[in-house]
Amino acid sequence: MRIGELARRAGVSTRALRYYEQQGLITARRSANGYREYGETDLRLVSEIRSLLAVGFTLEDARPFVACLRAGHALGGSCPESVAVYQRKLAEIDDEIRTLLTRRAEVAAQLTTACPGCVLRKAGKP
Amino acid sequence: MRIGELARRAGVSTRALRYYEQQGLITARRSANGYREYGETDLRLVSEIRSLLAVGFTLEDARPFVACLRAGHALGGSCPESVAVYQRKLAEIDDEIRTLLTRRAEVAAQLTTACPGCVLRKAGKP
DNA sequence: CTTGACCTTGACGTTGATGTCAAGGTTTAT
DNA sequence: ATAAACCTTGACATCAACGTCAAGGTCAAG
């Protein structure tokens, strides 16, 4: 299939596909006229990329997952490098959550100082 | 005082101060030679901006706080517009936290699928 | 043969808060 | 008088993942 069809099927823009290729995440055969030609495998790769991006991974993070799929594994996450990324990401997410919780508390405290009674109560505590 | 001193005292770069001015957050008198001249009030304004940025506010968010200080209030957060920003920010932070918690769960689930036993246990559950 | 739907590469725009140079004027001290 | 340490404006660079336009080649249908 050509780039337009892959884009439709994967739910991404053609621009995104070319960008992934430029970043070395996917590759494409070229037909005689220079058009990119993709197979079903590529759809799988792009889907993997999208689902990773959707949970906050970067394209860089996605690299080992794609490599893992291309190596023939059924799950992009089943290779050691992917597992390492998973674990690093979990740690990063936990960090961000902690940061946000701290910030939330600071902002709420400031708001309380500036305007006692202005802080919205959390549900469940009437 | 001139920009260099204010920068040192506030712990920011001169570039940042000029940027804040460009964005209309702070202003400066000019001495005969064209140099910016600041007073103690400006140090207070810049400090307010920095503490807001530190908890994730944008310069845009900081605007009403600065205006509030300039209007003579002791706390930048004590004006209605500032309170509104506080509340919007709290809502945004809560949103982000929810998003991150969801993502964390998704990533952990993926990792578990790809590599059962790889998910780090949270402390306290041996 | 031409319209229209494809495709190509290339390159600038987006977002926020600066960093970093460039090229030059001012002031203070020696 | 000259170096050192200030200051000025202006403008491009950064980070990510594309969006968007430009200018043009390709191909099937009518």
Side-chain angles (χ1 to χ4, degrees):
Chain A
M1 82 194 93
R2 292 177 307 187
I3 199 171
E5 188 182 345
L6 177 58
R8 267 190 306 278
R9 290 225 271 156
V12 306
S13 65
T14 59
R15 177 69 176 88
L17 293 178
R18 293 196 188 95
Y19 180 64
Y20 299 158
E21 180 175 326
Q22 190 191 331
Q23 299 304 308
L25 283 159
I26 58 179
T27 55
R29 281 166 292 131
R30 296 301 183 113
S31 23
N33 55 18
Y35 289 9
R36 290 171 177 81
E37 266 305 315
Y38 300 95
E40 295 299 318
T41 300
D42 298 306
L43 175 58
R44 179 79 182 80
L45 298 185
V46 175
S47 300
E48 181 85 8
I49 293 172
R50 296 309 291 193
S51 63
L52 290 172
L53 289 182
V55 293
F57 284 47
T58 66
L59 280 185
E60 211 53 45
D61 295 329
R63 212 153 246 154
F65 291 80
V66 173
C68 193
L69 284 179
R70 281 212 279 225
H73 297 271
L75 275 72
S78 58
C79 296
E81 293 83 0
S82 310
V83 169
V85 172
Y86 269 142
Q87 292 177 331
R88 180 169 53 72
K89 274 296 164 180
L90 277 182
E92 286 178 15
I93 292 173
D94 287 346
D95 256 14
E96 292 177 44
I97 290 173
R98 270 190 294 273
T99 299
L100 283 175
L101 287 173
T102 302
R103 282 182 186 174
R104 208 219 111 93
E106 288 169 355
V107 173
Q110 285 292 315
L111 175 51
T112 301
T113 300
C115 172
C118 273
V119 181
L120 298 173
R121 278 181 303 282
K122 288 205 166 182
K125 296 184 180 180
Chain B
M1 84 195 92
R2 291 178 307 189
I3 198 169
E5 188 182 344
L6 178 56
R8 266 190 308 278
R9 290 225 271 156
V12 307
S13 66
T14 59
R15 177 69 177 86
L17 293 178
R18 294 197 187 94
Y19 181 63
Y20 299 159
E21 179 174 328
Q22 192 191 328
Q23 299 303 307
L25 282 160
I26 59 179
T27 55
R29 279 166 294 129
R30 296 301 184 114
S31 25
N33 55 16
Y35 288 10
R36 290 172 177 80
E37 265 307 317
Y38 299 94
E40 295 299 318
T41 301
D42 297 306
L43 176 57
R44 179 77 183 83
L45 297 186
V46 174
S47 300
E48 180 85 9
I49 292 171
R50 296 308 292 195
S51 64
L52 290 172
L53 289 181
V55 292
F57 285 47
T58 67
L59 280 186
E60 210 53 46
D61 294 331
R63 210 152 247 153
F65 292 78
V66 174
C68 194
L69 284 179
R70 281 212 281 226
H73 296 271
L75 276 70
S78 58
C79 295
E81 292 82 1
S82 310
V83 169
V85 172
Y86 269 142
Q87 292 177 332
R88 179 168 53 71
K89 274 296 166 181
L90 276 182
E92 285 177 15
I93 292 172
D94 287 346
D95 256 14
E96 290 175 44
I97 291 173
R98 270 191 293 274
T99 299
L100 283 175
L101 286 173
T102 302
R103 282 182 185 173
R104 208 219 112 92
E106 288 169 355
V107 173
Q110 286 291 314
L111 175 51
T112 302
T113 300
C115 173
C118 274
V119 180
L120 297 174
R121 277 180 304 283
K122 289 204 169 184
K125 295 183 179 178

